[in-house]
Amino acid sequence: MSSGDGMPWAGGVVTERATCILAPNPGPMTLDGTNTWVLLEPGATEAVVIDPGPLDDGHLARVLEVVTARGARVTQTILTHGHLDHSEAGPRFAELTGSRLRALGRGHDDLGDGDVVRDGGLELRVVATPGHTADSLSFALPGDHALLTGDTVLGRGTTVVAHPDGELAAYLDSLERIRRLTGDGDVATILPGHGPVVPDAAAMVAFYVRHRHERLDQVRQALADGAAGADDPVEDVVERVYADVPREVWPAARLSVRAQLAYLGIPLAPTP
Ligand SMILES: [Zn+2]
């Protein structure tokens, strides 16, 4: 989920190889809209598209325009995860372009951790980053020292751990993985699934790790302050800990609280 304001983001050419086309689906969970990424090695004619976004023909036409204006065609359509704001247009876009549709499982052409996607001189390395969802993948673009993170790290605010599919222990491990990539100098820039490009990847990941631990401390404190004995501990924790976020994102906050309570070993009632 997002909090805070910040600069508006409209996409555009971001690195030598990456161009963002912003989908027209802004909202409290999607920030400025979903970032659809066109990746193209300079001078090449084979483009890879990450997250075609929601099913919106006007948006897909704009993505195609960007690709054809460079004399290229789309050979691979890749999904960072299954949430519809990223994936819904996948089958349509793959059909429109005659490209392979690739993702982690779900009946698509399967991608997994350590796989290397090569096309037209472009190289992308798959980094499994579960936690936001179980199927969340990130993609390292070594040529630009960039990492495409989907919803694992956003350009603004913080993300939701979408319990029970998303899990906090996995998410913290994924942040640690990304932190190591930034520490090794492999990744300097984050190309997120929503919000602006992150020019200082290491600082953003440090903020994400700090934020997660602060929230966990707040949840522990809320439990100690009485939420543990409440009729509905999830709701009680949300009210105590997420008072600072807009109510329209409380449904997401409930998922993150469930993820945190599960992480802390607190028994949960089944999801309503
Ligand atoms: Zn998502």
Side-chain angles (χ1 to χ4, degrees):
M1 89 199 56
S2 148
S3 56
D5 301 324
M7 296 287 288
W9 162 247
V13 177
V14 169
T15 67
E16 197 177 2
R17 293 165 180 80
T19 300
C20 174
I21 297 98
L22 186 62
N25 61 334
M29 296 301 296
T30 54
L31 307 181
D32 318 76
T34 299
N35 292 334
T36 296
W37 293 96
V38 172
L39 307 178
L40 185 64
E41 191 71 13
T45 55
E46 294 91 3
V48 172
V49 168
I50 309 272
D51 285 352
L55 194 49
D56 182 296
D57 284 331
H59 174 61
L60 299 184
R62 281 191 293 280
V63 176
L64 273 177
E65 261 169 42
V66 166
V67 174
T68 52
R70 306 218 184 141
R73 67 192 174 89
V74 180
T75 50
Q76 302 195 45
T77 301
I78 298 180
L79 308 176
T80 58
H81 66 299
H83 281 163
L84 291 178
D85 56 320
H86 300 259
S87 69
E88 189 184 24
R92 168 86 65 96
F93 192 70
E95 196 188 328
L96 274 175
T97 53
S99 60
R100 289 167 80 182
L101 181 55
R102 314 187 73 183
L104 175 57
R106 300 193 316 281
H108 300 309
D109 185 358
D110 202 21
L111 279 175
D113 188 51
D115 286 351
V116 179
V117 174
R118 284 198 178 84
D119 223 336
L122 187 81
E123 181 184 314
L124 270 183
R125 294 191 193 141
V126 180
V127 183
T129 48
H132 168 70
T133 59
D135 68 350
S136 287
L137 298 177
S138 295
F139 299 91
L141 182 58
D144 288 350
H145 296 287
L147 186 72
L148 295 115
T149 51
D151 282 358
T152 299
V153 177
L154 304 179
R156 192 187 305 130
T158 59
T159 198
V160 58
V161 178
H163 185 81
D165 181 42
E167 288 189 298
L168 184 54
Y171 185 68
L172 292 171
D173 286 348
S174 292
L175 289 181
E176 176 57 26
R177 258 196 114 173
I178 297 174
R179 200 181 65 77
R180 281 200 302 270
L181 290 174
T182 65
D184 293 345
D186 292 340
V187 169
T189 306
I190 286 174
L191 312 179
H194 302 279
V197 62
V198 178
D200 187 345
M204 186 60 113
V205 174
F207 161 70
Y208 264 59
V209 170
R210 200 165 60 241
H211 170 80
R212 274 298 142 212
H213 288 289
E214 280 170 9
R215 281 290 190 226
L216 267 175
D217 285 345
Q218 290 167 343
V219 169
R220 288 191 187 96
Q221 188 63 48
L223 290 168
D225 287 347
D231 289 342
D232 185 344
V234 172
E235 206 55 32
D236 203 86
V237 170
V238 169
E239 282 168 18
R240 290 171 192 261
V241 174
Y242 287 83
D244 64 331
V245 306
R247 286 204 169 232
E248 55 192 347
V249 300
W250 275 23
R254 288 185 188 101
L255 298 182
S256 278
V257 166
R258 295 182 74 85
Q260 291 176 91
L261 295 181
Y263 178 82
L264 295 172
I266 308 293
L268 290 168
T271 312

